[in-house]
Amino acid sequence: MSGVKTTAPRVLVTGGSIAGPAAALGLLQAGLVPTLMERAAGRRSAGQNVDIRNVGREVLRRMGQQDRVAAAGTGEVGTRFLRPDGSTYASVTAHAGEDGPTAELEILRGELSRLLLEATSQDVEHRFGEHLVEVTQDRDGVHTVTDQGREERYDLLVVAEGRRSRTRDLVFAPSSPDGVRYRDLGQYVAYGTIDRAGDDDQWWKWLTALDRRVVSLRPDNLGTARAALAFMAPAMGVERIGFDAQIRVLRERFADVGWQTQRIIDGFQARPQEFYFERAEQVTLPRWYRGRVAVLGDSAWAGPTGMGTTLALLGAHVLAGELAEHLHRGSSFEPERALSAYQHVMRPFVDKAQKIPPGIPGLALPKSAKGLKVLHAAHRLAASRILQRSARHLRPRSRDVPRTCRSIRTFEPMWCSNRDRNSMPSPTASRRVGLGPARTQPSHRNRVRPCSGADGSRPAWIRLTHEEAHRPIGRIASPRTATSEGTHHEHSGDRRDRAGRAARDPAADRAGASGAGADPSAGPGRAAGVGRGGRW
């Protein structure tokens, strides 16, 4: 390891998939010293396509990983809905800057994990093949014991594992009021990797069959294809039986489904190491921290929301930002207030994503031929050009997006030269930005902290410009805050500063107030400007 300050708070992060490495990267950039621990003997390369939506793209940009993730995408061009004979009855093409069934950023779970692990490999200790068996804590730290008998003490423990996390259960006992709760969704899902065929293309193909069954086939960028089979059924413990028995269940359940179903099952059988069978369920946790232990990602909020990866990235970024805010105050490291703020910021996003309509997923998987016709009609309507065009026009405008999702209060992973340091915005032209209710800080607290040298030894803690701080970053809508804190009030120092600039150059002030000259590299989903004077 290089460049680690032993005086900085030490954090143990458990889980090496996506949320864990993302948290380790954020904590490193925030000035803490993370250690990453993964139960598996090595990096898990298997996994299906995951999509990064809305605010998740902004998080990647701030972490400095957006370009790398985009370059490693699967190349999926859209979604096609199929009949049993393989013909298409509806299709939705992916468009840059928009998230439909196929998101703008589609990547394999294993590839995203690899990129995040590589980003921390030089400065974060990675421990594979090790897990915690005992966790105790007091007011000053967390004492941990691993399965290898290693006893250590950390300032903070972050659990970023899967939905059946055993480390989480060491702290939040399932029988306690704060323990995990599972909601069964009545569905089994089998995932796997299969060999690519000559007629496979770059479309995601989706077949809904009678008796509540689904067949899915998606492209990847590794010369194979990713497939899934799902069916509605009462809980029978199929996820716990052996691999061969699970394959027999799939052959029986999908014996009369046409298209390439049997090829998919044969492919599953040929690659048992990349096969996974699970019961669809939703994970809820009343609280995501206890003392000096925080829970993140699927350990805290798993479920078939379509937002799992985005929420994992966002949660890691918010957690690191709140801890960085606490750390830079210069007081002793007591993270409980930062963890409380992390939970407060993330809760509206997670609650919204986990609001599954009654009857889902069952209503989307009809049992009868009549129900299947209704579903096909709905797919055709959703895929129609008129409806898609209308949906683009009906996307929330900046003033329609709740304040809580317009910007993220943390840092930008920027390594600055002296020239960059001198070009930083002035204190009165800067803003602390946050996902929570807007609060204007006194000008003396808005000073830009010094950047490090150009050698990149330490990321800079900077403030966003006024225009950047008031630019929406996504389309996630969390509940509006009913208190007076939810309304933005311009600080008097900013009014004086803007008035002075207007006297010197009225045209420049008009351009700045309207958002003109905003950074064109801000990316899709971020509006170019806001209302006059930066108000919403």
Side-chain angles (χ1 to χ4, degrees), residues 36 40 74 81 156 210 277 288 325 375 397 409-410 432 439 464 474:
L36 187 64
T74 62
F81 299 97
L156 179 67
L210 295 173
F277 200 110
W288 300 330
E325 178 82 0
L375 181 66
R397 295 171 295 178
R409 176 191 3 138
T410 53
R432 287 181 185 269
R439 293 182 297 274
L464 299 185

Side-chain angles (χ1 to χ4, degrees), residues 232-438:
M232 300 293 294
M236 301 177 291
V238 182
E239 71 278 14
R240 295 188 296 271
I241 62 179
F243 169 73
D244 292 334
Q246 290 173 343
I247 293 295
R248 287 197 298 270
V249 169
L250 292 177
R251 291 195 185 280
E252 293 174 2
R253 283 279 177 170
F254 290 85
D256 60 337
V257 177
W259 190 46
Q260 302 188 37
T261 306
Q262 295 309 310
R263 171 206 163 194
I264 291 173
I265 298 176
D266 291 341
F268 287 169
Q269 191 163 21
R271 294 172 178 260
Q273 72 279 5
E274 299 188 44
F275 177 78
Y276 187 68
F277 200 110
E278 70 175 6
R279 181 74 175 173
E281 55 189 1
Q282 189 178 64
V283 171
T284 57
L285 204 61
R287 57 183 300 178
W288 300 330
Y289 73 97
R290 174 177 287 174
R292 290 175 175 254
V293 180
V295 188
L296 172 68
D298 284 354
S299 302
W301 55 66
T305 63
M307 294 292 294
T309 303
T310 297
L311 288 175
L313 293 171
L314 179 60
H317 191 54
V318 171
L319 175 63
E322 296 297 340
L323 289 169
E325 178 82 0
H326 170 71
L327 185 64
H328 282 276
R329 289 173 183 162
S331 58
S332 60
F333 186 71
E334 298 178 357
E336 288 85 353
R337 180 172 295 182
L339 299 183
S340 176
Y342 149 72
Q343 177 172 282
H344 175 74
V345 168
M346 284 299 299
R347 182 64 75 176
F349 287 87
V350 174
D351 287 350
K352 181 175 179 64
Q354 287 197 320
K355 285 183 180 178
I356 301 177
I360 297 298
L363 291 178
L365 302 175
K367 182 177 180 64
S368 65
K370 182 177 180 180
L372 199 58
K373 288 182 179 179
V374 173
L375 181 66
H376 285 190
H379 285 163
R380 291 191 188 96
L381 178 62
S384 66
R385 293 183 179 180
I386 295 177
L387 189 60
Q388 289 190 53
R389 191 180 301 116
S390 300
R392 295 189 189 108
H393 289 300
L394 290 174
R395 282 199 305 181
R397 295 171 295 178
S398 57
R399 63 175 175 272
D400 298 326
V401 181
R403 176 71 190 173
T404 50
C405 66
R406 288 178 186 160
S407 44
I408 298 177
R409 176 191 3 138
T410 53
F411 47 85
E412 292 240 352
M414 179 185 231
W415 286 260
C416 305
S417 63
N418 289 331
R419 182 186 65 179
D420 296 323
R421 184 183 299 115
N422 294 334
S423 64
M424 287 291 181
S426 63
T428 54
S430 303
R431 282 283 192 274
R432 287 181 185 269
V433 293
L435 282 164

